[in-house]
Amino acid sequence: MEFKNEYLGEFYQDEEYEKAQLLWLWYDYHTEVFDRSLWSARDETAVTLTTPLAHSESNRNAMKIREYMYEVARRYNISSSAMHKAKTDGYRNACKMQNRMDTYLALDRLEEFNFINGQ
């Protein structure tokens, strides 16, 4: 652990972890947008799929997006442990989905996700 983080209480993460966080934010946004297009009910927390077909389509889409996300992670040498740490991060899990979507859109305007498509 970094000295500043351990002794001064400052938050510090490296570029690998930051990219992993961006990848999970990208994943959350794209899966949520797709899920909202299916037969579902939703609130500010998340989408609730209401039919077996919607569940199947959602899972198929999520798998496709996750495979691409991990392909990008490998391209940038982002370790599976960094991806797992970002996936299980307390902020990600405590945040309402609409807040994550808004954050994605704000960061997308700043072109923070260009690395995902190799731009």
Side-chain angles (χ1 to χ4, degrees):
M1 183 171 271
E2 286 286 312
F3 172 81
K4 289 193 299 186
N5 195 21
E6 182 74 30
Y7 295 100
L8 301 178
E10 293 181 24
F11 181 77
Y12 173 82
Q13 292 293 343
D14 60 13
E15 186 176 339
E16 177 187 27
Y17 184 75
E18 288 176 14
K19 282 203 182 327
Q21 282 283 4
L22 288 172
L23 282 167
W24 279 110
L25 184 58
W26 177 87
Y27 170 87
D28 289 344
Y29 177 82
H30 288 285
T31 56
E32 185 72 8
V33 166
F34 183 84
D35 287 355
R36 287 180 179 188
S37 74
L38 300 171
W39 285 98
S40 61
R42 70 180 168 107
D43 60 24
E44 63 185 19
T45 306
V47 169
T48 303
L49 301 171
T50 57
T51 68
L53 180 59
H55 279 279
S56 176
E57 291 296 318
S58 175
N59 289 339
R60 189 177 1 266
N61 179 65
M63 186 182 316
K64 182 179 78 173
I65 291 173
R66 192 172 18 248
E67 285 173 2
Y68 183 72
M69 178 184 66
Y70 276 103
E71 179 184 313
V72 171
R74 283 187 295 277
R75 187 180 335 139
Y76 286 93
N77 296 317
I78 300 170
S79 68
S80 57
S81 64
M83 290 297 289
H84 180 73
K85 182 178 176 185
K87 178 183 179 183
T88 59
D89 182 271
Y91 174 77
R92 178 177 184 255
N93 295 322
C95 199
K96 292 181 179 174
M97 186 54 73
Q98 188 58 52
N99 291 344
R100 288 190 60 75
M101 293 185 74
D102 293 343
T103 300
Y104 172 88
L105 292 171
L107 292 174
D108 190 42
R109 283 190 292 276
L110 298 173
E111 301 180 345
E112 292 291 326
F113 300 98
N114 286 354
F115 75 98
I116 293 174
N117 294 314
Q119 299 173 349

